[in-house]
Amino acid sequence: MSATHRRGPLVQFVLDPPRGVAPVRLGMTLDETVAAVSAWGAPRVYPADAVRDFDLVSAEYDGTGFQVALERDHRVTAVTVWGPDEDEDPDVQVLWDGLDVFRTPADEVLAHAARKGWRVVDDDPRAPCIPGVTLAFTRDTSQEVSRDENGLPVHFTTVLVADETYREN
């Protein structure tokens, strides 16, 4: 659809590893994180418990979901972004190095990273990562989306931004 059919202005979130996804920056406190995403509505805060040993803040902006993990010293260590539904108007873009990671085919995003000289680890094609810039992608979903010849979603469904010391559990 053209820009004249948008519900509102185009909003861009820029993945900035290893610093975060503005307005959320790695190292923020819980209060800073809640304040940063509160403009979108009331975020949900899940304190650490017996199952999860870290705090979690969950928020959504116009169909794009954000989950923020606060681990070491109760500070932000990772931001995970869920893409909007495939058939929605692109009112929101999630950009990395100029590419919309949820609207550019996943294989093109990974090829772009390889051309830039970054090491792409794609042993599991459902969950490739780029450790040099601390990005981890997923292509898992139960939703009806376009799929490639191997049955994988054509586009990434989530992306995680973290610092160089992050280890996903």
Side-chain angles (χ1 to χ4, degrees):
M1 272 191 168
S2 69
T4 58
H5 292 95
R6 287 190 220 286
R7 291 184 306 262
L10 178 66
V11 174
Q12 296 178 329
F13 293 101
V14 178
L15 305 178
D16 186 19
R19 289 171 284 284
V21 182
V24 178
R25 295 287 179 208
L26 301 184
M28 283 181 150
T29 65
L30 178 61
D31 289 343
E32 291 168 334
T33 302
V34 168
V37 300
S38 286
W40 313 334
R44 291 178 302 273
V45 177
Y46 303 96
D49 57 23
V51 176
R52 189 186 59 259
D53 65 350
F54 58 91
D55 299 324
L56 193 65
V57 175
S58 182
E60 184 178 317
Y61 182 88
D62 199 21
T64 300
F66 293 81
Q67 249 186 8
V68 182
L70 294 95
E71 295 168 288
R72 298 181 295 274
D73 300 322
H74 298 283
R75 293 191 173 268
V76 174
T77 54
V79 180
T80 301
V81 183
W82 276 264
D85 287 341
E86 186 174 83
D87 57 353
E88 286 186 24
D89 289 340
D91 290 342
V92 176
Q93 290 180 323
V94 178
L95 302 175
W96 173 63
D97 205 42
L99 299 175
D100 185 336
V101 298
F102 297 124
R103 303 224 185 269
T104 304
D107 293 338
E108 287 182 34
V109 173
L110 298 176
H112 173 80
R115 284 192 302 275
K116 301 274 289 190
W118 291 316
R119 183 171 64 100
V120 175
V121 177
D122 60 355
D123 301 337
D124 179 354
R126 295 173 301 127
C129 67
I130 305 171
V133 292
T134 321
L135 289 172
F137 301 94
T138 59
R139 291 172 83 168
D140 278 335
T141 184
S142 60
Q143 297 176 353
E144 292 296 321
V145 296
S146 302
R147 295 184 181 267
D148 67 13
E149 61 279 356
N150 298 314
L152 291 171
V154 170
H155 300 95
F156 288 123
T157 54
T158 67
V159 60
L160 175 138
V161 177
D163 67 19
E164 297 89 352
T165 63
Y166 185 79
R167 298 288 182 262
E168 195 169 7
N169 296 330

